[in-house]
């Protein structure tokens, strides 16, 4: 696991975007991107969009798979993740809508939709780089505490804490769905690289538990300790409860030039 501590949230987006762009370029035109919703990756998407606009990254033939979708929102709901991904990823990154996929949270047969989603990811060769945020309770995707570390795409019930955290996107807490369709932890772990971004003090405890705590289903994101290529990009506030910050900073500063993914050209 590589931990990169950035001075501020804007820099988190810049560094994470450069890492994602480097993996996409190496994977070739048909790169497969895993995308998260929520606030955390927005700066990363904005930086990726700048690279696309500058002609430094071409995602026009790439594929993307969202992590999750609410169950119970009508199709086209502005807070459905299909809509959020369309406006924050597909359009700004110049991707083909037909190649950007979101779990079908509105499907009549949720189990079948989950199995189809897994097959679709498999059919394009798997995810090259998965972008992740982390919930204040340590979830990744919507794999809430005590999710199986081997889980695959399936329906989950959101915790009261996650519903409260996400109420800011809705007019009231009552409008936040209770269920979602989410890639499992096993599905996420199949991605060849993962880049997790977190900003703010309210994520500090989750980041510390994920990076330095024991691997435990109570902190679903801690499963990333078993991933061979996991990069955790955080701002100083989100890093504030890490005990090894000095080491992470030193390691990043002294990276050999050939390993520096955030230096372009
Ligand atoms: C979103 C997702 C979640 C979020 C997490 C953090 O697709 O899978 O794990 O990444 O809830 O959300 P924000 O970034 O809004 O704090």
């Amino acid at each position: 696991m590589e931990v990169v501590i950035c001075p501020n949230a804007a820099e988190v987006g810049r560094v994470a975007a450069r890492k994602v762009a480097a993996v996409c370029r190496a994977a070739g035109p048909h790169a497969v991107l895993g995308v998260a919703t929520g606030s955390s990756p927005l700066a990363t998407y904005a930086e990726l969009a700048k690279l696309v606009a500058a002609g430094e990254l071409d995602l026009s033939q790439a594929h993307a798979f969202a992590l999750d979708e609410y169950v119970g929102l009508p199709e086209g709901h502005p807070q459905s993740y299909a809509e959020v991904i369309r406006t924050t990823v597909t359009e700004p990154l110049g991707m083909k809508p037909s190649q950007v996929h979101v779990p079908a949270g509105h499907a009549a047969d949720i189990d079948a939709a989950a199995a189809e989603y897994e097959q679709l990811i498999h059919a394009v060769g798997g995810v090259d780089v998965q972008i992740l945020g982390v919930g204040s309770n340590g979830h990744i995707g919507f794999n809430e505490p005590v999710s199986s570390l081997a889980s695959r795409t399936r329906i989950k019930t959101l915790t009261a804490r996650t519903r409260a955290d996400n109420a800011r996107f809705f007019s009231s807490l009552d409008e936040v769905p209770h269920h979602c369709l989410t890639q499992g932890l096993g599905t996420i772990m199949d991605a060849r690289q993962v880049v997790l971004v977190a900003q703010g003090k309210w994520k500090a405890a989750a980041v510390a538990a994920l990076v330095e705590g024991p691997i435990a289903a109570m902190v679903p994101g801690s499963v990333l300790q078993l991933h061979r290529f996991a990069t955790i990009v955080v701002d100083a506030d989100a890093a504030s409860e890490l005990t090894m910050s000095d080491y992470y900073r030193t390691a990043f500063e002294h990276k050999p030039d050939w390993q520096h993914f955030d230096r372009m050209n």
Side-chain angles (χ1 to χ4, degrees):
M1 184 173 268
E2 175 174 27
V3 181
V4 184
I5 302 176
C6 300
N8 54 51
E11 190 65 6
V12 170
R14 203 189 67 80
V15 170
R18 269 148 185 79
K19 172 73 186 182
V20 171
V23 179
C24 287
R25 285 194 202 95
H30 300 284
V32 183
L33 208 52
V35 288
T37 53
S39 311
S40 308
L42 293 178
T44 306
Y45 297 146
E47 289 290 335
L48 285 170
K50 280 190 207 163
L51 295 177
V52 169
E56 291 174 28
L57 178 67
D58 179 6
L59 295 173
S60 60
Q61 298 180 69
H63 299 263
F65 289 88
L67 280 171
D68 37 28
E69 175 62 288
Y70 290 115
V71 170
L73 291 184
E75 262 187 288
H77 188 289
Q79 289 309 325
S80 69
Y81 286 170
E83 280 302 297
V84 172
I85 291 294
R86 183 175 65 74
T87 55
T88 60
V89 174
T90 316
E91 290 173 356
L93 301 192
M95 301 186 75
K96 277 198 190 88
S98 61
Q99 294 191 179
V100 179
H101 305 278
V102 178
H106 57 275
D109 187 339
I110 287 287
D111 281 348
E116 274 167 29
Y117 203 63
E118 290 274 339
Q119 280 159 15
L120 211 50
I121 297 172
H122 182 72
V124 297
V127 171
D128 290 301
V129 56
Q130 175 67 57
I131 298 169
L132 294 170
V134 60
S136 62
N137 65 0
H139 73 214
I140 54 172
F142 273 143
N143 295 283
E144 298 286 34
V146 309
S147 286
S148 158
L149 300 184
S151 49
R152 311 298 307 185
T153 303
R154 71 220 183 286
I155 191 167
K156 282 294 289 182
T157 303
L158 298 173
T159 60
R161 184 164 176 186
T162 297
R163 290 188 64 245
D165 283 350
N166 285 8
R168 69 190 194 279
F169 297 113
F170 294 83
S171 347
S172 74
L173 177 61
D174 285 346
E175 282 183 28
V176 185
H178 283 272
H179 294 103
C180 64
L181 187 53
T182 180
Q183 289 189 31
L185 294 170
T187 319
I188 292 168
M189 288 293 286
D190 284 348
R192 285 182 272 283
Q193 302 235 14
V194 300
V195 177
L196 183 144
V197 288
Q199 307 90 348
K201 273 242 180 316
W202 71 299
K203 295 294 176 71
V207 167
L210 183 156
V211 172
E212 296 179 344
I215 297 170
M218 271 303 279
V219 183
S222 65
V223 72
L224 297 179
Q225 293 177 27
L226 293 171
H227 199 289
R228 291 180 61 214
F229 300 105
T231 306
I232 312 297
V233 188
V234 292
D235 68 3
D237 283 340
S240 58
E241 293 187 28
L242 291 168
T243 63
M244 299 259 296
S245 298
D246 290 348
Y247 171 70
Y248 308 138
R249 287 195 169 95
T250 305
F252 191 66
E253 275 162 26
H254 294 274
K255 253 167 119 83
D257 263 354
W258 59 269
Q259 270 194 342
H260 254 289
F261 53 77
D262 77 324
R263 287 192 194 144
M264 303 280 300
N265 306 316

